[in-house]
Amino acid sequence: MGGAGVTEGRAGGAGRTGEVAAVPALAVQLELGPADAAGAHPVRVSCTAVRAVEATVRLRVDLPGVAEPWWIVPGLFYGENRPVGSDRPFPRFAVDPDDPMASPTWEFRADRAATPGVFAWGADGGAALLTTETSAVGLSGVGFAHEGVTAGLWLTFPFRETPLTYDGSAVPRPPVTTGHRWAAGERATFHAHLHPLPADRHAYAPILRAVAERARRTDPVEPWVGVAEAADVAAEGLLRWHYDPDPGVLLETVGFDRGISGQDGRPVDRQAMHVAWVSGVPWAYALLVHGQRTGHEGAVTAARRVIDTVCAGLAPSGTFWGVWYRDRGWRGSWSPHPDGLHARTLGEATLFLLRALALPGGAAGQRRARWLAVARSNLDALAARQRPDGNLGAVHDARTGEVLSWAGSAGLTWVAAFAEAGALDDDGRYLAAAVRAGEYYARFVDAELIHGAPEDVGLAPTSEDGYAAVLAYVALHRRTGAARWLDLARRAAEWMLTFRYTYNVAFAPRTPLGVYGFATRGADQASPSNQHLHAYGLVCTAELLELSAALGDPHFAGRAEETLACFRQLLPVHDGDVNAYRGMITERYYQTECFQPKGMVLTLSHAWSVGVLLLACEQVLAPGA
C-alpha cells in the first residue's frame, strides 16, 4: 500500500522534552507536562511540515530491561493474546514467530480498541499511553514491540497496521503503512497521556475507570425507547421471529429480509438451537419472566415449551446435548470433537434452568419434576468429573462423559450454577464444587487472561469470559458472604470492562451506524478474534448492580446502565425500522474494519441478541427475578 516516513518523538521522565526527526521535512516538538493528581503526564506533540511530505508521527516510550513483556490494548490484545493451543488464527505476540499471524511487533488502528491506548509491563513496572480515536490527521493508531530486552509502546498519527491487517479471516491482509500527506507549512498538534505503571498488571483498572467517568460527560448515549418498551419489543421479537412451536425451539438466527427466495426468509434462517449461549434456556427464562410480569400467557407458554425441549434432550453422559438441528436432532457443540460438549454452554443452560425453577409459578407438576431431575443430572455429572484441583473441564464427551479438554476457563459458568443450586444442595456437595472451582479459576483472573468461554473462538480471551467470571464470583459471594469472592468479582468486572467502549466511535455519515448516530459507549468488543461490538454484556446486568451494592461503589451499576442504554438504540419498534422488522436485533455492529466495512450491521437477528436485551430489561424492571 505504499510507505511513509515516520517521525518519532520519545517521551521520557517528568518535565522532559525533546525532538527526534526521522523525516527531515517534518519538525517535531514534544512537551511532557507534570503529573496530575492521578499520576498521568499530559503529552503534547507539535508538528510543522518544512516541505510537502507523506509521514506518520509516532509517540513512543521504551521500557528497558524487560525480558518478558505483558501487553494490554483494551478489548484487542492481552499478553500473548492467542494462547498456545488455540485453533483460531488471529494476531499473537511471539518473540520467535511460528505462524503467519504471530509477531514481536504489532500496530493497530485505534477504533479496534475499546479505549485507544496501550499498556505495557515488565517485571518491575511499566507505562501506558492513551489518546483519542481521531486526531488532526485522521484515525489514530496504537502499537508495541519487544526488541532484545526493550519493550516499546507507542501511538501513531495517523494509524498504521503492521505486520499485517486482520480482517477476521484466517488469511493475513497486507499491512497499512501510508501516512498523512502534509502540505508545506501545515501544522498539527497531537495530545496523549502517559501513565507510569507499577508492576501489578491490574493497574489499568483505575486508569480506565477515570477515562470512562470522563466519557459520561463528553460522549452521550441516547436510547430510543424506555426500558419497559424495550422489554415488550424484545419479547415480541423472540415470539414472532425466533420461536417455532414445532418442536418448541428458539431459532438461532433469522434474516432481516423476509422476502428473499419467496419463502418468508426461511432459506437464510438457521434451523438450529443451542441449549444456551446463542439460543436456548437463558433467553427462554427471560421470556418466562417477562410473561409472568406482564401477564402474557403466550410468552409463558412458549418459554416453557423451549425449556421442555431442551430438558428432553439429555445426552447419554447425563448432561444436556449441545445443539438441536431440525434435520439431525441433538448433536454436540461447535467442537472439533464430533460428540464434544462445551462446558460454558452446558453451565449456562443449567444456571438459567435453576433460575427458572426458582421463579414462583415457573413450573409445576410433572414439568417441574422433569426440570428438577434434569438440573440434578447436569450438576451431578459435572461434579463427578471435577478434578481435585477444581478444574471442571472445557470439552466433555456427550456419550462417555470423558473430559476431552481441560484447557482454559470455560468451566467458570459452572461456579455460578453450583452456587445457585442451594435448593437442591442437601449435602453441600454443589457448594463445595463451586468453591473448589472458584479457587482454581481465580488464577485466570489474577493473571489478567481469562479465556475459553465461547465455543467458536478457541482459547481466545473474550468479553464473554469476563461475563462468566462476574456471574461466578458474584454468585459465590452471594452464597457465602466471603470477602475473597467479592474481591475476585470486582477484579473480574474490571477486566471485563476493558472490553467496553469508553467513547463514541466516529462513523462515516452515510453508513448505517453513521446515519442513525449510533453511540458505541457501553458496547463491548466481542474479542480480539471477533472484532465487532455486541450486547452480551447485558447478561450480567443484575450482577453488576449487586456488585455495586456490595462494594458501596456506584461505578459498576453505572457501567451496566450505560450498556442497557446503548442497546436500546437501533431497536426496531416498527416493521421497517433500521431495515428490519419489529423486535429483530442484530448480533454485530461493525465499529472497525473487520468482517465488514466500518459502520455496517449484520442483517440477521440472533435469538441471544434479542434475549439478552429482554433479560437485562427484566432484571431492572423486576429485581430478584
Side-chain angles (χ1 to χ4, degrees), residues 56-75:
T56 295
V57 176
R58 176 185 288 158
L59 173 66
R60 175 169 175 151
V61 172
D62 283 337
L63 304 174
V66 175
E68 297 182 358
W70 184 266
W71 322 100
I72 290 183
V73 178

Side-chain angles (χ1 to χ4, degrees), residues 287-343:
L287 191 60
L288 180 58
V289 174
H290 177 81
Q292 289 187 324
R293 180 180 64 81
T294 62
H296 191 321
E297 286 302 317
V300 170
T301 298
R304 288 172 174 161
R305 283 282 304 279
V306 172
I307 297 174
D308 285 344
T309 299
V310 173
C311 287
L314 277 186
S317 63
T319 70
F320 294 115
W321 278 102
V323 191
W324 168 89
Y325 296 96
R326 191 176 296 280
D327 60 346
R328 288 177 286 161
W330 289 106
R331 291 291 187 273
S333 302
W334 293 344
S335 165
H337 306 280
D339 290 323
L341 299 174
H342 199 269

Side-chain angles (χ1 to χ4, degrees), residues 164-529:
L164 56 89
T165 297
Y166 177 67
D167 67 355
S169 74
V171 180
R173 307 301 299 168
V176 177
T177 57
T178 52
H180 176 63
R181 296 184 180 276
W182 295 78
E186 182 179 354
R187 298 180 179 181
T189 301
F190 309 103
H191 299 274
H193 280 88
L194 168 63
H195 299 257
L197 297 174
D200 180 7
R201 292 179 187 172
H202 200 70
Y204 62 79
I207 296 171
L208 295 182
R209 176 173 178 149
V211 171
E213 292 299 329
R214 288 195 298 271
R216 288 177 181 272
R217 301 188 293 272
T218 60
D219 290 48
V221 179
E222 299 177 0
W224 290 11
V225 298
V227 175
E229 184 176 0
D232 290 342
V233 173
E236 183 174 332
L238 281 179
L239 287 169
R240 183 180 177 189
W241 303 114
H242 292 276
Y243 177 60
D244 188 334
D246 181 19
V249 295
L250 291 175
L251 297 180
E252 292 182 356
T253 66
V254 297
F256 281 14
D257 188 345
R258 307 311 297 167
I260 193 167
S261 301
Q263 298 179 52
D264 192 29
R266 288 185 178 85
V268 298
D269 298 346
R270 187 188 299 167
Q271 301 295 316
M273 177 181 71
H274 270 69
V275 296
W277 185 41
V278 293
S279 189
V281 179
W283 325 126
Y285 164 80
L287 191 60
L288 180 58
V289 174
H290 177 81
Q292 289 187 324
R293 180 180 64 81
T294 62
H296 191 321
E297 286 302 317
V300 170
T301 298
R304 288 172 174 161
R305 283 282 304 279
V306 172
I307 297 174
D308 285 344
T309 299
V310 173
C311 287
L314 277 186
S317 63
T319 70
F320 294 115
W321 278 102
V323 191
W324 168 89
Y325 296 96
R326 191 176 296 280
D327 60 346
R328 288 177 286 161
W330 289 106
R331 291 291 187 273
S333 302
W334 293 344
S335 165
H337 306 280
D339 290 323
L341 299 174
H342 199 269
R344 182 276 187 95
T345 305
L346 299 178
E348 198 173 72
T350 304
L351 173 63
F352 281 91
L353 176 59
L354 290 167
R355 291 183 177 183
L357 282 162
L359 286 176
Q366 291 185 346
R367 170 178 280 130
R368 180 173 181 80
R370 175 62 177 165
W371 290 8
L372 280 167
V374 168
R376 282 192 182 277
S377 181
N378 277 273
L379 292 163
D380 290 344
L382 264 290
R385 299 172 198 169
Q386 187 176 33
R387 283 194 328 206
D389 65 0
N391 192 330
L392 288 160
V395 181
H396 299 247
D397 190 291
R399 301 187 187 280
T400 68
E402 176 189 359
V403 177
L404 302 171
S405 171
W406 296 97
S409 54
L412 258 172
T413 306
W414 277 99
V415 175
F418 283 124
E420 293 192 21
L424 286 68
D425 200 9
D426 301 330
D427 56 6
R429 288 186 306 119
Y430 300 149
L431 178 58
V435 169
R436 284 194 300 272
E439 290 290 357
Y440 175 82
Y441 293 115
R443 69 192 65 192
F444 293 89
V445 180
D446 292 339
E448 306 293 340
L449 187 63
I450 318 172
H451 59 96
E455 295 182 9
D456 61 344
V457 293
L459 293 174
T462 73
S463 55
E464 293 176 55
D465 289 282
Y467 314 146
V470 170
L471 287 166
Y473 291 111
V474 169
L476 265 176
H477 177 258
R478 185 191 312 124
R479 181 77 184 273
T480 67
R484 170 161 172 72
W485 306 131
L486 182 61
D487 187 59
L488 279 164
R490 174 190 60 79
R491 288 178 61 94
E494 288 168 339
W495 187 84
M496 178 200 84
L497 290 171
T498 65
F499 290 85
R500 190 152 296 176
Y501 271 59
T502 54
Y503 63 100
N504 289 339
V505 171
F507 294 107
R510 292 184 181 178
T511 62
L513 295 181
V515 167
Y516 289 110
F518 182 70
T520 58
R521 184 172 64 83
D524 290 343
Q525 175 98 288
S527 72
S529 176

